Amino acid sequence: MQSMLIVSGIGLGAASGWASSATELNKDYRTYYQDGRIEYGNIGDSYNADLVLYLAGNQFMVMDELIKDFMKKHPNIKTTYVETIPPGQILKQILGQGQINGQNTAMNPDVYASVNLGHLKQLHEKGLMDRYEIYTHNKLALMVAAGNPKGIAGPKDLARDDLVQSHPNPITEGIFKFYGAQMLKDLGIYEKVTGNAMCKECWAIKGKTWFTQRHHRETPDRIEQGLADVGIVWTTEIIEAKKHDRKIDGIAIPAPLNMADKVGYAAGVLKTGRNHDNAMHYVGYLRTKAAQDIYAEYGFIPATREETALKPIPAM
């Protein structure tokens, strides 16, 4: 019997109108102001904001509430620039000049956060970061069309020949690179699902498995448009989509295949950042009850006090 994700305690609002347009992608680049304003797509703010945060994209839904609460507690911080895209892509921006919409983006954010400590270890090896904290957790799930018309029961069904799939790419999407791929390997179906392809925004297996560029936008779009039947996502993305009345449902993945025991969001302060004190205020804020409660509200799993304490980044 399929295990449907139950979403409770969340008021359903009007459709969000999310799309893969350039306008919507600009929402991955936000500047927050003390007066409550939010501006989108001002890439140049990565060079001059009072606090610059480059964060793994799958927490995009939390940012408005989280950053507004943080800035209210720190009125001296007038502007906060937040980028929420795949953590592997962010790492490339830090280690080598990256561009967004044809514009150079700063290589020295104040804080970097990923879904895998391995990314922070690379920064440590380059002498760019010394300490980290784990501030929240997540787990894998399957996104399907509303009502689950294909009767998908769980991750083993990803081996079925009658399904068109949409999964995060294995190059820049940490959810797949570190966790989704391992789940498929544990099930013995990795090659069947992916064809061992290494690409993004491409057919891994033509007509069968699509690798996205940014899965939290593409996969729900493709499922709603009838271009895909199922996709590996974070549980929090299903909760967020249903909050906005999107025509999708979720199928829970049982432990340990859901990787809940391995997924930890790691953040650290870059030594090259312009706003060290503000960055330290932010990572300190993440361990507060207020921040932990906000993440939990969106379906994330709270971190323990021990996990949120700053500690040395281990060697590679």
Side-chain angles (χ1 to χ4, degrees):
M1 179 178 292
Q2 67 197 39
S3 179
M4 298 292 287
L5 284 176
I6 304 300
V7 182
S8 60
I10 297 177
L12 300 181
S16 68
W18 293 345
S20 295
S21 66
T23 300
E24 288 300 320
L25 289 177
N26 276 337
K27 292 186 177 179
D28 290 329
Y29 315 100
R30 288 174 269 187
T31 304
Y32 296 86
Y33 294 83
Q34 265 296 337
D35 62 8
R37 286 181 297 130
I38 305 173
E39 294 185 355
Y40 302 95
N42 294 339
I43 310 304
D45 290 343
S46 64
Y47 291 94
N48 53 45
D50 294 336
L51 178 63
V52 178
L53 309 174
Y54 287 5
L55 312 175
N58 49 73
Q59 55 200 300
F60 71 94
M61 71 287 287
V62 180
M63 290 299 106
D64 286 359
E65 187 173 353
L66 188 81
I67 300 304
K68 286 180 179 180
D69 183 65
F70 168 73
M71 292 182 71
K72 183 178 180 181
K73 291 177 169 65
H74 295 277
N76 61 305
I77 300 176
K78 303 302 182 184
T79 56
T80 298
Y81 176 83
V82 181
E83 176 178 294
T84 49
I85 65 174
Q89 186 175 338
I90 297 174
L91 186 65
K92 291 179 180 180
Q93 291 176 351
I94 295 172
L95 297 179
Q97 183 64 66
Q99 288 194 330
I100 302 296
N101 298 340
Q103 302 177 63
N104 286 351
T105 185
M107 296 171 62
N108 62 333
D110 299 308
V111 175
Y112 169 65
S114 176
V115 294
N116 188 273
L117 185 57
H119 284 149
L120 277 67
K121 288 181 179 179
Q122 292 183 55
L123 294 177
H124 179 58
E125 288 292 308
K126 298 289 186 180
L128 299 177
M129 185 181 290
D130 288 334
R131 296 187 296 168
Y132 80 102
E133 67 182 29
I134 300 295
Y135 61 95
T136 197
H137 300 275
N138 213 334
K139 57 185 176 182
L140 301 179
L142 298 179
M143 182 177 285
V144 298
N148 192 15
K150 290 297 183 81
I152 296 167
K156 292 181 181 179
D157 281 1
L158 296 177
R160 285 168 43 180
D161 292 327
D162 64 322
L163 300 179
V164 179
Q165 306 184 31
S166 174
H167 298 312
N169 79 72
I171 299 174
T172 61
E173 296 271 21
I175 178 178
F176 195 85
K177 182 176 182 179
F178 300 116
Y179 305 112
Q182 187 59 56
M183 180 188 76
L184 296 176
K185 290 174 182 177
D186 290 346
L187 289 167
I189 59 175
Y190 178 82
E191 184 173 0
K192 181 174 179 61
V193 172
T194 71
N196 293 321
M198 293 294 292
C199 61
K200 64 178 182 177
E201 203 171 8
C202 63
W203 284 110
I205 298 177
K206 190 172 182 179
K208 288 294 183 183
T209 300
W210 176 259
F211 275 157
T212 66
Q213 182 178 41
R214 296 187 196 173
H215 79 282
H216 66 260
R217 294 193 182 280
E218 288 178 63
T219 291
D221 283 350
R222 295 181 72 84
I223 290 174
E224 285 184 319
Q225 294 169 23
L227 300 176
D229 301 310
V230 61
I232 296 171
V233 298
W234 296 114
T235 296
T236 49
E237 287 156 14
I238 294 169
I239 293 172
E240 180 67 8
K242 291 181 74 67
K243 179 179 178 181
H244 293 280
D245 288 338
R246 300 205 68 169
K247 305 306 181 185
I248 62 93
D249 271 320
I251 306 300
I253 295 174
L257 291 171
N258 62 18
M259 302 289 155
D261 61 333
K262 296 181 173 64
V263 179
Y265 287 60
V269 173
L270 271 84
K271 296 161 70 173
T272 51
R274 295 179 296 104
N275 308 293
H276 182 267
D277 288 348
N278 291 343
M280 291 301 295
H281 285 312
Y282 180 75
V283 296
Y285 167 74
L286 289 176
R287 67 179 65 104
T288 67
K289 184 178 186 301
Q292 290 291 309
D293 285 350
I294 289 171
Y295 270 100
E297 178 185 341
Y298 289 85
F300 289 84
I301 303 167
T304 66
R305 179 167 292 276
E306 181 180 3
E307 288 175 324
T308 59
L310 284 171
K311 56 190 75 67
I313 297 174
M316 293 282 287

